[in-house]
Amino acid sequence: MRPIRKQLSPVPGDFDEYSDAKPDLISRLGMYCSYCERPVSTNLAVEHIEPKKGPHGQPHLTNRWENFLLACVNCNSTKGDKKVDLQNLLLPDRDNTSAAFVYRKDGNIDIHNALTQQQATLAENTLKLVGLDKPKSVALDANGKEVALDRVSQRMQAHLLAERAKDNLTACNLEPMRKQIVDTAFITGYFSIWMAVFDGEIDMKLRFVNAFKGTKDSECFNHVNADLIMPAPNPDSWSNGSKV
Ligand SMILES: [Zn+2]
């Protein structure tokens, strides 16, 4: 899960309508779901970290920047109005979520084994909250051909694309190829998968960190070697941050 810095609110006090925050969220974080990292060109929703309604709703946070991220329809609907306890979760705007998860070739997401037991529990809670722990659901077209509809399948697809890009770089290790790969990653989304596939390629990792908006500013990556910085510096001091 890509760490992001959304920076302080662009308006004094709360927004009049939470939807008014969408342009600033997109300009600072890019057109991606903050949880599953898929690119979302339409219907990307302003996500309320703590639900605004329901039995666990926090209506006073409905229009508050601190409570916003961006989410796709799958993550949004899975999360729904579930209770959110910031102490018991890892969040990309306040923790180094890149250090928490391992993106596997088969599309599944594991918890990083370097985490403490307590941190691992928080990471599991995050996956469960938005359904990133769900198994692959197979969708076939009329000809019996598998179609990548769910998030697991889309991660597998992104993984294959990133591996092909890495092969292309090996075959043609030139500056234009590096630029083309970053452009492809930017359009394809799934920052974490590109970082995983290009592990060991410091120059490419730094380019990905710089290309995806809000990630360099999160200060979760060393600016020289792209190493993870833990715990997250949480430069805007959001509550319950820096747990990983
Ligand atoms: Zn999502």
Side-chain angles (χ1 to χ4, degrees):
M1 194 173 288
R2 179 172 69 99
I4 44 183
R5 180 178 184 183
K6 61 190 181 196
Q7 303 179 40
L8 296 175
S9 177
V11 299
D14 289 348
F15 280 82
D16 292 334
E17 301 281 339
Y18 65 82
S19 55
D20 295 345
K22 197 162 156 178
D24 287 297
L25 286 165
I26 289 175
S27 82
R28 295 180 186 191
L29 310 180
M31 294 277 284
Y32 310 96
C33 174
S34 301
Y35 299 118
C36 73
E37 302 190 39
R38 63 167 30 142
V40 185
S41 52
T42 55
N43 296 330
L44 185 59
V46 173
E47 147 74 0
H48 291 88
I49 301 172
E50 294 194 58
K52 56 186 184 299
K53 54 183 172 57
H56 309 293
Q58 302 292 336
H60 69 289
L61 298 177
T62 301
N63 297 323
R64 191 160 303 168
W65 178 258
E66 177 170 2
N67 197 38
F68 296 156
L69 286 173
L70 291 165
C72 74
V73 65
N74 286 137
C75 292
N76 211 341
S77 65
T78 307
K79 185 167 171 284
D81 295 336
K82 285 182 201 160
K83 182 176 169 57
V84 169
D85 183 351
L86 296 178
Q87 287 178 21
N88 292 326
L89 291 167
L90 299 181
L91 288 166
D93 62 340
R94 51 198 87 195
D95 296 297
N96 193 339
T97 39
S98 261
F101 304 108
V102 177
Y103 287 76
R104 292 197 340 222
K105 198 175 178 173
D106 64 5
N108 288 305
I109 303 176
D110 287 342
I111 309 295
H112 203 291
N113 59 17
L115 298 191
T116 65
Q117 188 55 50
Q118 195 188 3
Q119 290 171 326
T121 302
L122 307 184
E124 277 168 26
N125 292 343
T126 296
L127 294 187
K128 202 177 294 174
L129 180 70
V130 289
L132 287 172
D133 57 345
K134 284 183 187 170
K136 183 169 179 279
S137 57
V138 177
L140 303 175
D141 69 7
N143 298 317
K145 192 169 178 290
E146 201 174 323
V147 184
L149 287 184
D150 74 338
R151 290 169 295 178
V152 182
S153 306
Q154 290 178 353
R155 284 196 293 274
M156 285 174 73
Q157 212 169 45
H159 215 107
L160 282 171
L161 205 65
E163 283 184 343
R164 205 182 307 158
K166 195 177 176 192
D167 289 345
N168 286 338
L169 184 61
T170 304
C172 178
N173 195 347
L174 296 170
E175 177 63 17
M177 178 62 83
R178 289 180 182 266
K179 284 183 174 157
Q180 181 60 56
I181 290 172
V182 174
D183 287 347
T184 304
F186 185 77
I187 296 298
T188 311
Y190 297 104
F191 166 86
S192 296
I193 290 174
W194 291 87
M195 291 293 278
V197 169
F198 282 84
D199 193 30
E201 297 268 357
I202 291 173
D203 171 72
M204 289 306 295
K205 285 172 75 177
L206 287 172
R207 289 177 194 238
F208 296 139
V209 168
N210 290 329
F212 283 77
K213 287 174 186 168
T215 296
K216 182 184 178 192
D217 291 339
S218 74
E219 300 174 22
C220 285
F221 295 91
N222 181 295
H223 291 182
V224 176
N225 58 20
D227 280 355
L228 293 165
I229 293 171
M230 289 177 285
N234 188 20
D236 298 315
S237 304
W238 298 125
S239 57
N240 294 292
S242 306
K243 299 185 293 299
V244 169

